[in-house]
Structures are given as C-alpha cells and as structure tokens.
Amino acid sequence: MKIINFLSFLIITPLFSCSQNLDCEYFKNGGFIISNDSEKTPPYKIIRKGEFQIEIDDKGIKRYSKIEWLDDCSYQLTYDPKKMSLNDFQKRVNNSGGIIVHINKIEGNCGYFTSIIKGHDSKPIQGVMCAE
C-alpha cells in the first residue's frame, strides 16, 4: 500500500507543480488586440476601463459591453443595451447570461483565453489577446 501511495504522489505532484500561478490584473484595464482566435475572426481592438469594454472591429464598428470579474482570471461579458442597439444574436447572448471568458495562460503581454456563451451548447473559442 505504501508503494501505491508513493507512486501516486510521484505522478500527481508534477501536475500541480507545473501549473502556472496566473496574475491577470494586467488584463483588467487598457487597450488590447485580439489577433487570433479559433473562429478565424479578423483582428479587433478592445479598450477596457473599469467594468466596461469597447470592441472595435476591422471595419471600425464599436460594440459596448459590461464586464463582471468572476475571479482574478475569469469574467462575464454582456452587451450594453444602453450604449447600442442589440441585434438578435447579442440579445440571445445577454438572455443566456453572457459570455464567460477565462484567461488560461500568460506569456509576456499576451493572455491566452477560452470563451463560451453561457447556457449554450456552442463550442468554446480559443484566442489570444495582447496589450497594444
């Protein structure tokens, strides 16, 4: 039994010791570019200040969102109907509880994230956001 416990310890310990202790404070305010995601979306800019975010796409169209930080590296986005007219997709996103984004890894000034529409069976989107 001692051998099994020792082997389990040897197998499990590296899994926890290799995990990155993330500090996502850097991504809470400022300007960022999302240049690469799994949906092949054209690059767009994000400007964050406090609990608000503006997305500016490659055509210059702005989308306004509210941010609620769930923990240090996860947040929920909902579109802001007070600052723009919502299309049907944006209304569905808001009605389902928004978009959940989790920053998984940080390298330099870039955060690798996974996002998913809350309450939907849509597949997660993987992407990278980097400070300007």
Side-chain angles (χ1 to χ4, degrees):
M1 187 68 165
K2 288 182 181 181
I3 293 174
I4 293 172
N5 287 339
F6 180 72
L7 290 175
S8 296
F9 175 78
L10 287 178
I11 293 170
I12 293 173
T13 300
L15 296 176
F16 290 107
S17 64
C18 293
S19 66
Q20 184 180 19
N21 187 11
L22 299 178
D23 178 8
C24 299
E25 188 68 30
Y26 182 74
F27 297 98
K28 292 186 178 181
N29 288 290
F32 306 93
I33 300 292
I34 296 182
S35 60
N36 182 20
D37 69 27
S38 58
E39 293 294 303
K40 307 220 184 310
T41 306
Y44 60 96
K45 181 177 181 173
I46 292 175
I47 302 169
R48 288 198 182 129
K49 186 173 182 182
E51 54 192 50
F52 297 100
Q53 172 174 299
I54 302 170
E55 292 179 19
I56 306 168
D57 70 14
D58 62 331
K59 296 178 179 119
I61 297 171
K62 295 180 181 179
R63 287 180 291 284
Y64 298 87
S65 302
K66 297 178 196 177
I67 301 173
E68 178 186 348
W69 285 89
L70 305 172
D71 59 40
D72 190 44
C73 293
S74 299
Y75 55 93
Q76 180 175 329
L77 282 175
T78 53
Y79 295 103
D80 192 344
K82 293 180 181 177
K83 294 187 177 182
M84 65 181 203
S85 296
L86 303 184
N87 62 32
D88 288 339
F89 171 75
Q90 293 163 338
K91 289 176 187 174
R92 282 194 306 274
V93 167
N94 281 3
N95 289 337
S96 70
I99 300 169
I100 303 296
V101 181
H102 180 72
I103 300 169
N104 307 307
K105 179 173 81 168
I106 298 172
E107 287 183 354
N109 67 340
C110 296
Y112 292 76
F113 66 87
T114 302
S115 65
I116 191 158
I117 299 171
K118 191 173 177 180
H120 277 255
D121 290 334
S122 61
K123 72 177 187 175
I125 296 173
Q126 308 290 322
V128 180
M129 83 178 115
C130 298
E132 288 188 291

